């Protein structure tokens, strides 16, 4: 379930360099000309009289701050939302923006990004910019013979899963099915089964990307290989990706060439149990010993949650197989070990029954079902094995959580990445702090929830290897290490070289 997250609620005042009126007029005239290859109805302008339509085009999933509350630096001159795949139109929009000194940012759905994709709000530079919104580019095509798929960036996990499962195939996509693939993949894509299959980016065979020149190029391991490396984990810095070419893997023992299966007919090996607060130490201790030696085909995770009725702290443990049902003796043996262990401690609920593909791919959706939730979160990498002192810190911090809507998630990261990408941090744990609440008009309530997340992330910093670029707290202006901390040192240096080659004018989001 991993996409870009977190929004600023306040931003330090800066001198905002909007383009001159004359320059804005040139761009406006270019975008509204009859020859422009994107319909005028697909473009909203900051200066237009219908402000509601403009603000509506900026709406995101996260309710921490609404578009009308955005600072000026987060309001793009124009929002271009192509209604169908149109690289020529997107290329023209990018080139015009660049030629007139505007910068360009892109988003694929605004799942939780707030205005993180509204680049001027979080870059060290405060230039005017154009936002390319790709949410309507949501087509998915499956080639069951070649075990591949093509997907547009606005397609959601659900759009992809609903098509792949027809043939008994799987892609390690987002844990929350409503997340769009563009942001998920470009920042690495820690997905369902990534411990076994690799991250989402490890299963990207190639992509089409619109460069600052407006030209579209293709990249894969042999063609424009440096761009292929950099985009997979650092894609937001180089251009606008309009299509992904994906590798699929069988999730049934007999995949087919014609639609045969559905997400409720395909079974998945799973162990699921809920533990109350008194068993927290026992669970985390077992997990820290069991997981490092468990089969790679098992994705084992712990979700820190709160019982909505009693407000009691709880710990959800799930062990989900990434290989076809009942096909691995290693999986069977390991999950039997889990069952034997949880029978020795009190549980609130426990089951060794299999789940369905729908359960595996939509299991986390309910936590994100409300449209008025506010999120303030960050995802970090922990070393293997887990330090017992760290586990106690996690328990202590969870005891302090103010909102019963918040969660924390401890999950196996990519164990042995099958390809080299900008994501990095192999053999590590992914840990995310999701401070989640509903705004009630009281600023102190918002501040309390953000303060808890800040305190928790400070408490776990001694064990933090790095940060997952898909889920970060807001960037403060002039923060030179915001992106650097998401990449291993050699990776960041390599990304800088790739940036200088493919976007030397820094049209897209900055690395610093």
């Amino acid at each position: 379930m991993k996409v870009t997250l977190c929004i600023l609620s306040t931003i330090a005042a800066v001198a905002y360099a909007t383009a001159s009126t004359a320059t804005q007029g040139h761009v406006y005239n270019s975008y509204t000309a009859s020859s422009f290859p994107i319909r005028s109805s697909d473009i909203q302008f900051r200066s237009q009289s219908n402000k509601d339509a403009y603000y509506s085009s900026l709406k995101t999933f996260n309710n921490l701050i609404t578009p009308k509350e955005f600072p000026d630096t987060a309001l793009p001159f124009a929002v271009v939302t192509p209604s169908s795949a149109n690289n020529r139109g997107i290329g023209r929009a990018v080139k015009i923006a660049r030629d007139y000194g505007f910068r360009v940012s892109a988003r694929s759905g605004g799942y939780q990004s707030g205005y993180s994709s509204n680049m001027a709000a979080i870059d060290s530079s405060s230039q005017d910019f154009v936002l390319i919104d790709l949410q309507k580019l949501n087509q998915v095509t499956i080639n069951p013979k070649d075990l591949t798929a093509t997907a547009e960036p606005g397609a959601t996990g659900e759009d992809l899963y609903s098509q792949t499962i027809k043939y008994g195939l799987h892609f390690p996509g987002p844990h929350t099915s409503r997340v769009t693939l563009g942001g998920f993949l470009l920042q690495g894509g820690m997905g369902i089964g990534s411990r076994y299959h690799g991250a989402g980016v490890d299963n990207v065979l190639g992509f089409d990307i619109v460069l600052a020149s407006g030209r579209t190029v293709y990249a894969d391991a042999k063609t424009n290989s440096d761009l292929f490396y950099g985009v997979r984990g650092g894609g937001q810095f180089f251009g606008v990706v309009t299509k992904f070419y994906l590798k699929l893997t069988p999730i049934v023992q007999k995949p087919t060439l014609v639609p045969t299966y559905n997400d409720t007919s395909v079974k998945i090996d799973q162990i699921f149990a809920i533990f109350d607060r008194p068993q927290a130490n026992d669970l985390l201790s077992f997990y820290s010993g069991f997981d490092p030696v468990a089969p790679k085909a098992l994705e084992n995770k712990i979700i820190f949650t709160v019982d909505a009725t009693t407000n009691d702290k709880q710990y959800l443990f799930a062990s989900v197989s990434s290989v076809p049902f009942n096909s691995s003796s290693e999986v069977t043996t390991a999950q039997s070990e889990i069952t034997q262990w949880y029978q020795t401690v009190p549980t609130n609920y426990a089951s060794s029954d299999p789940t369905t593909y729908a359960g595996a791919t939509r299991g986390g959706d309910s936590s994100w079902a409300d449209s008025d939730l506010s999120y303030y979160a960050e995802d970090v990498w922990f070393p293997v094995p887990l330090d017992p002192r760290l586990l106690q810190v996690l328990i202590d911090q969870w005891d302090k959580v103010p909102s019963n809507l918040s969660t924390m998630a401890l999950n196996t990261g990519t164990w042995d990445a099958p390809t080299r990408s900008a994501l990095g941090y192999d053999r590590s744990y992914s840990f995310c702090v999701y401070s989640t609440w509903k705004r009630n008009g009281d600023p102190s309530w918002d501040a309390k929830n953000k303060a808890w997340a800040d305190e928790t992330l400070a408490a776990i910093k001694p064990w933090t290897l790095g940060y997952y670029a898909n889920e970060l707290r807001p960037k403060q202006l002039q923060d030179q290490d915001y992106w650097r901390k998401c990449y291993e040192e050699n990776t960041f240096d390599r990304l800088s070289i790739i940036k200088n080659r493919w976007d030397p004018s820094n049209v897209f989001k900055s690395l610093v």
Side-chain angles (χ1 to χ4, degrees):
M1 162 180 75
K2 297 176 178 178
V3 274
T4 55
L5 193 67
C6 306
I7 318 176
L8 292 159
S9 58
T10 58
I11 288 187
V14 295
Y16 180 45
T18 57
S20 68
T21 301
T23 299
Q24 291 182 25
H26 287 308
V27 176
Y28 177 87
N29 290 335
S30 298
Y31 280 3
T32 56
S34 59
S35 59
F36 189 67
I38 294 178
R39 299 180 309 182
S40 58
S41 58
D42 291 336
I43 307 174
Q44 304 293 328
F45 294 94
R46 187 174 61 218
S47 60
Q48 68 189 36
S49 58
N50 186 352
K51 295 297 185 183
D52 287 342
Y54 172 76
Y55 287 123
S56 179
S57 70
L58 293 173
K59 182 71 175 73
T60 67
F61 182 79
N62 196 332
N63 196 50
L64 179 55
I65 184 169
T66 66
K68 290 185 179 180
E69 296 172 307
F70 286 5
D72 289 343
T73 51
L75 297 174
F77 169 75
V79 182
V80 181
T81 309
S83 55
S84 61
N86 182 354
N87 276 31
R88 177 170 166 265
I90 294 171
R92 283 282 292 153
V94 170
K95 186 177 186 303
I96 289 169
R98 184 204 66 173
D99 289 349
Y100 284 102
F102 286 71
R103 300 183 68 200
V104 177
S105 188
R107 72 179 191 184
S108 59
Y111 169 58
Q112 295 165 340
S113 61
Y115 52 78
S116 66
S117 47
N118 295 27
M119 171 179 52
I122 59 172
D123 263 4
S124 56
S125 170
S126 307
Q127 294 171 260
D128 219 341
F129 69 106
V130 170
L131 177 64
I132 309 293
D133 191 330
L134 306 170
Q135 62 177 299
K136 294 182 180 179
L137 276 62
N138 56 11
Q139 297 301 303
V140 172
T141 303
I142 308 299
N143 184 330
K145 182 178 180 180
D146 293 340
L147 301 182
T148 60
T150 58
E152 294 176 346
T156 64
E158 173 61 22
D159 292 331
L160 181 61
Y161 300 143
S162 64
Q163 296 302 312
T164 61
I165 197 57
K166 292 178 181 179
Y167 307 93
L169 303 175
H170 174 65
F171 180 83
H175 287 87
T176 303
S177 67
R178 66 189 295 171
V179 172
T180 49
L181 297 176
F184 170 78
L185 289 172
L186 293 179
Q187 299 305 142
M190 291 307 303
I192 299 173
S194 283
R195 174 178 169 133
Y196 184 70
H197 299 296
V201 291
D202 292 313
N203 294 273
V204 172
L205 300 172
F207 51 81
D208 297 332
I209 183 171
V210 177
L211 304 174
S213 64
R215 184 169 61 100
T216 298
V217 300
Y218 172 78
D220 63 17
K222 295 182 178 180
T223 305
N224 299 316
S225 58
D226 61 336
L227 189 60
F228 181 65
Y229 169 88
V231 167
R232 294 178 309 125
Q236 61 183 316
F237 306 112
F238 310 106
V240 182
V241 175
T242 58
K243 184 173 289 186
F244 297 95
Y245 302 88
L246 309 176
K247 179 180 72 174
L248 305 179
T249 305
I251 195 65
V252 298
Q253 296 192 46
K254 295 181 179 180
T256 61
L257 299 179
V258 296
T260 304
Y261 303 98
N262 60 57
D263 59 7
T264 58
S265 66
V266 173
K267 293 182 178 181
I268 304 292
D269 294 294
Q270 175 185 265
I271 301 290
F272 180 77
I274 301 175
F275 298 85
D276 293 323
R277 172 61 180 85
Q279 285 72 52
N281 292 92
D282 290 336
L283 172 61
L284 287 169
S285 177
F286 170 78
Y287 180 88
S288 64
F290 170 83
D291 188 74
V293 296
K296 284 174 61 177
L298 279 185
E299 179 178 283
N300 306 301
K301 57 187 175 183
I302 296 176
I303 307 297
F304 297 62
T305 187
V306 181
D307 185 283
T309 303
T310 65
N311 241 24
D312 292 336
K313 307 302 185 292
Q314 292 186 325
Y315 295 75
L316 281 57
F317 175 63
S319 174
V320 184
S321 174
S322 302
V323 296
F325 176 68
N326 202 25
S327 67
S328 168
S329 59
E330 280 191 332
V331 166
T332 301
T333 299
Q335 290 193 329
S336 294
E337 181 181 343
I338 298 172
T339 301
Q340 291 171 12
W341 171 77
Y342 77 60
Q343 290 175 343
T344 67
V345 295
T347 56
N348 185 292
Y349 173 86
S351 172
S352 300
D353 295 335
T355 186
T356 63
Y357 190 71
T361 56
R362 298 183 198 160
D365 287 5
S366 60
S367 298
W368 315 92
D370 289 350
S371 60
D372 61 345
L373 296 179
S374 298
Y375 301 92
Y376 182 82
E378 195 148 89
D379 199 333
V380 305
W381 304 108
F382 287 151
V384 179
L386 293 165
D387 188 326
R389 294 171 298 174
L390 167 62
L391 300 180
Q392 187 58 54
V393 168
L394 299 183
I395 293 171
D396 292 343
Q397 288 303 123
W398 191 239
D399 285 341
K400 304 175 186 177
V401 66
S403 170
N404 63 14
L405 297 174
S406 295
T407 57
M408 300 197 303
L410 177 62
N411 197 3
T412 305
T414 301
W415 219 235
D416 297 295
T419 71
R420 302 317 301 163
S421 72
L423 177 60
Y425 296 109
D426 290 356
R427 286 271 162 168
S428 62
Y429 284 97
S430 166
F431 181 76
C432 192
V433 178
Y434 295 100
S435 186
T436 310
W437 70 98
K438 292 189 177 184
R439 295 173 68 182
N440 59 12
D442 180 0
S444 67
W445 174 235
D446 300 335
K448 185 175 184 179
N449 283 280
K450 289 192 286 185
W452 169 79
D454 290 338
E455 178 188 306
T456 299
L457 289 157
I460 63 178
K461 190 171 182 179
W463 296 275
T464 297
L465 297 173
Y467 298 78
Y468 180 43
N470 250 341
E471 294 176 309
L472 292 172
R473 284 174 292 174
K475 178 182 179 182
Q476 299 298 322
L477 293 172
Q478 310 304 325
D479 180 358
Q480 299 297 304
D481 293 323
Y482 188 72
W483 296 115
R484 182 183 293 272
K485 68 177 181 286
C486 298
Y487 302 101
E488 295 167 319
E489 183 175 355
N490 292 339
T491 299
F492 187 83
D493 293 342
R494 187 172 177 184
L495 286 176
S496 299
I497 294 171
I498 299 169
K499 174 74 168 176
N500 289 334
R501 178 187 178 193
W502 291 97
D503 185 24
S505 300
N506 201 31
V507 172
F508 301 104
K509 191 172 290 184
S510 301
L511 270 168
V512 294

